[in-house]
Amino acid sequence: MTVSEGPMGENRLGGKDRSVSLWRMLPLAVLFAAGAIAWFGFDVGQYISFEALKENREWLLAQVEQRAVAAALVFMTVYALTTAFSIPGGAVLTVLGGFLFGTWLGMFYVVFGATLGAIAVFLAARTALGAILRARVGGALNRMERGFRENALSYMLVLRLIPVFPFWLVNLVPAFLGVPLGIYALGTVLGIIPGTFVYASVGNGLGAIFDADETPDLGVIFAPEVLVPILGLAALSLLPIMYKRWKTGRAQG
């Protein structure tokens, strides 16, 4: 996979961006507009907190019990919009998913919503919106380029497993570097599962935490018994890159 050093109109990993017709951009424009209206018009941010969750826990659980499918769809939509707009609160929403739907279903809904939102940003970066979004990336594009050039999937996995760069930044840079959508989506799904499982597990026991008048400890992700396995997965993800460098070094030597 070779890197092109052409103008902004070219993909950094080869090929030129094709012009996108208005009708193909319309769904993304509608998604972003709807999200902006919902977020700022209804002040959704005030509800993404443990305080709000504690106050409305009975109502939320009742909605899940009475309207399970609708509740799941709403939850995934909210998570997707939160991801697409890089809105703080992802950890709280992940805990909420475990609380409302249990560890496994909650993890599935979070992964689906987060991946959907990440894909929306990825596709937006490849439309006329890309010029605007590219300004947010700055010099990080050059810093991350080598990793994606050597092995895009491995690098995506590492960046999702260990948040060296902000989540929103990892959503954008692969699009500007020409990473295929399939690799981007697969790396996102596999990379966010471990952390999502941890927080969904916390959410599954959230009722007992609230009954004890306590607040969930989101720092659990840094506990050795949790962090070490995640770091191990990240190290395994780097093996293809390390092997490629070792093979290149032997060939040159």
Side-chain angles (χ1 to χ4, degrees), residues 129-217:
L129 294 174
I132 299 174
L133 296 173
R134 195 181 185 108
R136 295 189 63 190
V137 173
L141 191 66
N142 294 328
R143 294 197 298 272
M144 300 168 70
E145 181 176 341
R146 182 183 179 188
F148 281 112
R149 181 177 69 244
E150 292 184 325
N151 191 305
L153 180 57
S154 293
Y155 198 52
M156 274 296 303
L157 285 171
V158 172
L159 292 179
R160 291 307 194 194
L161 286 166
I162 306 175
V164 179
F165 296 97
F167 196 85
W168 65 265
L169 184 61
V170 182
N171 290 342
L172 291 172
V173 170
F176 298 138
L177 295 177
V179 174
L181 176 59
I183 290 179
Y184 172 84
L186 180 61
T188 296
V189 170
L190 296 179
I192 65 177
I193 283 177
T196 300
F197 176 77
V198 172
Y199 283 134
S201 299
V202 172
N204 195 32
L206 192 59
I209 295 175
F210 282 158
D211 290 339
D213 198 25
E214 297 177 353
T215 302
D217 179 17

Side-chain angles (χ1 to χ4, degrees), residues 33-46 48 78 81-82 85 87-88:
I37 292 172
W39 184 261
F40 296 107
F42 297 97
D43 194 16
V44 178
Q46 65 176 314
I48 305 181
V78 170
L81 289 172
T82 301
F85 286 96
I87 296 168

Side-chain angles (χ1 to χ4, degrees), residues 4-57:
S4 170
E5 294 295 336
M8 185 177 295
E10 295 182 348
N11 283 336
R12 296 291 290 277
L13 294 184
K16 294 184 178 180
D17 290 330
R18 297 179 179 178
S19 59
V20 181
S21 58
L22 181 60
W23 72 268
R24 290 182 64 187
M25 292 174 54
L26 188 59
L28 282 174
V30 171
L31 173 65
F32 276 82
I37 292 172
W39 184 261
F40 296 107
F42 297 97
D43 194 16
V44 178
Q46 65 176 314
Y47 302 107
I48 305 181
S49 67
F50 287 124
E51 291 76 13
L53 175 56
K54 186 175 182 179
E55 292 175 3
N56 297 280
R57 59 185 291 197

